[in-house]
Every structure is written in C-alpha cells, then in structure tokens.
Amino acid sequence: MSIAESGEFGLISRIVSRLDAGSATLLGPGDDAAVVRAADGRVVASTDVLVEGRHFRRDWCGPADVGHRAAAANLADIAAMGATPTALLVALCVPVDLDPSWAEGLADGLTREAARCGASVVGGDISASPTLTIAVTALGDLGGLDPVRRDGARPGDILALAGRIGYAAAGYTVLSRGFRTPKILVEAYRRPELRYEAGPEAARHGATSMIDVSDGLVQDLGHLAAASAVGIDIRSGAFEVPDQMRDAAQALGTDPYQWVLAGGDDHPLAATFPPGTRLPEGWREIGSVHDGSGVTVDRKPWTGPLGWDHFR
C-alpha cells in the first residue's frame, strides 16, 4: 500500500496512534491546535528542516533513524538556550508512492527521541511533495531561568563542551565511501546521542553564552564569537580521538581532527563560563575566550574546512 492509497487522514491516523503525550501536553493531536503547558510564562521556539538527498538518505538511514535525527536537531537548539524541551510540531511532505510504514517508523523515531527529554510530538501537518521533507518546530520552557544567548561571552571565560563530537561526521564520511563500519561511527550519524539536560545545567551554573554545535565546532563558535565581539581559542589537546575514529581516518586518508573541529550532526552544546567556574557534570573545558575576534585552534588560524553550509 502507498500513501496515495492510504489517504491523508488514514496516514494521519496511523501516525497519531504511535505518539505518546508528554507531561507538558494538555491537548495533543486531534484538534485544530495543540495546547502545551508553559509554566514559566515564556516559550522558547526553534525550527529546522530536513530534505531527502540534502540532509539524509533513505539507503543510509531507516525511518526511525531519520526521526531521531530530525527531533535531535531541534531539541538541541532548545537545550542550547538553557531551556527544557516540551513539544514538537512536525510538518511532513511525502511522495505519494511512499509506503505508509515508512511514515510510521519516522513517527516512532520522533516520539522516542522527544521522550528522552520529556517532550512529545503534539501536532503537525502532512502534504504531498515530490521530495521527502520533514520540518520540525520545537518548543521549550526556561523554568524561571534567563535564556543563555550567544552574545554573553567575555574575555577570560572558560570554553566548554558537553557531548561527543566528530563521531557523526566520521560516520557520514564512512557511509559516503560505501562502507558500513565502524558501527559506532555509522550509528552516531544515524542517531546522535545528546545530553539535553546539559543546557539547563549550564544555565544554572552561570553560563555566559551557549550554542548547539550542528554545523561544525569552528564554524559555530564563530557565530558565538561574532555575537559576543570576542576571540575564541580551541585547544585541540582537549579532545580524545577514539581508536575507531583514528583507524577510520587512517583508512580513508583523512585527518580525524577535521571531523572533530569541522564536522556536524553530533549536536553537542558549547558554552562559555566565568573564570573559576566549577563546570557541571558532563562538561569539559576545551578552550578560552580572549580579546579579539574570530576562532583559532591552539592560537593559530584554522586552515581546514569550516563545516556544513546548506547552500554549498
């Protein structure tokens, strides 16, 4: 059976039946709009889009994998503001010959990833399209905290990272070369592993700025440096390159630090903290903030690739 045979409302029914309501959901799918609790009185919102052939390939990822990736990309943006994710809205544009079971698998991945941080899929929309496209909007709650913006870093601050980095980029390279191992790298690309709680933890510990590293560490820290009008230096020795990544890099003729410093899709959080801050659990120091501009690595200009560009 194709989606054309299932029909719009049949497909919606199949998807909705696989969604679980989170604690913040007062009214979920089935009405004209959802109602989500916003105890703080403010709502943090972010949106992102995944297009087949540009952001994912069905021969590389199963539908649940794509669901995990789509949810993670948006939930990480909420965490990067110091907020706790509460809900996702998903717009799905699909070819009419797509098997409905693929959309069901996507829904499974979306709802399971959202559940990792207590959020849920509360609604969305469906349309026919020649290109499979998933647009996700994430909502979050600040819990009484001030949002952690990009423009608060100050000279002398500590630069820290929460989460692994370079794994997904390595997995992408492995897949693009036609291989399926090492498994740890390929699975990192298919399903990123995030610590969503690290964002609010950083806010509670006085983080002065924060960003989700989705497109590459050097590139994304460049946004933070520009917003804060400071210079940022990354210390390459702060990163432990695992054996699987080092071996894969050697086999593929690549420098593993290009994955670490310029690779995306792992979605760790990078933040700056005042000097002397005792970092929260799971955060590690990777550099420093200084007077100046731009991003350097070991006090030298980075000459490698910068990271992902949607129009390149």
Side-chain angles (χ1 to χ4, degrees):
M1 178 185 293
S2 68
I3 282 178
E5 295 169 306
S6 175
E8 176 184 357
F9 298 106
L11 179 61
I12 290 173
S13 178
R14 294 174 70 150
I15 290 175
V16 169
S17 69
R18 310 180 84 85
L19 306 179
D20 297 322
S23 59
T25 305
L26 299 178
L27 179 64
D31 224 303
D32 289 301
V35 180
V36 179
R37 182 181 288 108
D40 179 84
R42 298 168 294 175
V43 176
V44 181
S46 181
T47 192
D48 199 31
V49 64
L50 275 73
V51 179
E52 183 179 17
R54 186 62 176 164
H55 302 101
F56 68 92
R57 286 173 45 170
R58 276 187 276 167
D59 58 331
W60 287 4
C61 301
D65 298 328
V66 177
H68 279 276
R69 296 185 73 235
N74 287 269
L75 296 168
D77 284 332
I78 300 300
M81 298 299 293
T84 299
T86 56
L88 295 176
L89 296 161
V90 182
L92 179 61
C93 301
V94 295
V96 295
D97 60 352
L98 186 72
D99 190 319
S101 65
W102 195 95
E104 291 177 324
L106 175 74
D108 290 342
L110 286 163
T111 196
R112 288 170 187 166
E113 187 65 33
R116 292 189 59 237
C117 54
S120 59
V121 180
V122 298
D125 192 21
I126 290 176
S127 178
S129 168
T131 303
L132 181 56
T133 303
I134 304 131
V136 181
T137 296
L139 306 178
D141 187 85
L142 286 163
L145 301 169
D146 289 330
V148 184
R149 297 164 42 158
R150 297 181 181 183
D151 61 358
R154 298 293 178 263
D157 280 355
I158 299 166
L159 173 66
L161 192 77
R164 64 187 188 182
I165 192 165
Y167 286 72
Y172 173 87
T173 304
V174 167
L175 287 165
S176 68
R177 301 288 182 88
F179 302 105
R180 295 295 184 268
T181 58
K183 184 176 180 180
I184 189 174
L185 304 180
V186 172
E187 290 304 313
Y189 172 78
R190 289 172 173 161
R191 299 190 183 190
E193 292 184 5
L194 284 72
R195 291 185 62 252
Y196 298 110
E197 68 277 13
E201 286 173 356
R204 289 191 290 269
H205 280 73
T208 54
S209 68
M210 187 154 48
I211 192 169
D212 158 38
V213 182
S214 57
D215 297 327
L217 184 62
V218 173
Q219 179 164 275
D220 286 330
L221 286 178
H223 302 319
L224 195 153
S228 297
V230 296
I232 292 178
D233 185 64
I234 302 169
R235 186 163 46 85
S236 64
F239 301 96
E240 181 179 347
V241 179
D243 291 340
Q244 297 98 323
M245 189 183 298
R246 198 175 296 277
D247 291 345
Q250 184 176 6
L252 298 172
T254 300
D255 179 356
Y257 282 95
Q258 290 193 0
W259 292 330
V260 171
L261 296 172
D265 287 330
D266 280 305
H267 299 286
L269 301 181
T272 57
F273 295 85
T277 299
R278 183 175 180 180
L279 296 177
E281 182 180 356
W283 285 86
R284 66 186 188 278
E285 185 174 347
I286 63 165
S288 59
V289 182
H290 56 84
D291 285 316
S293 62
V295 179
T296 54
V297 178
D298 299 327
R299 296 290 181 175
K300 299 177 182 178
W302 170 248
T303 57
L306 289 178
W308 173 259
D309 184 327
H310 292 274
F311 294 97
R312 191 170 58 218

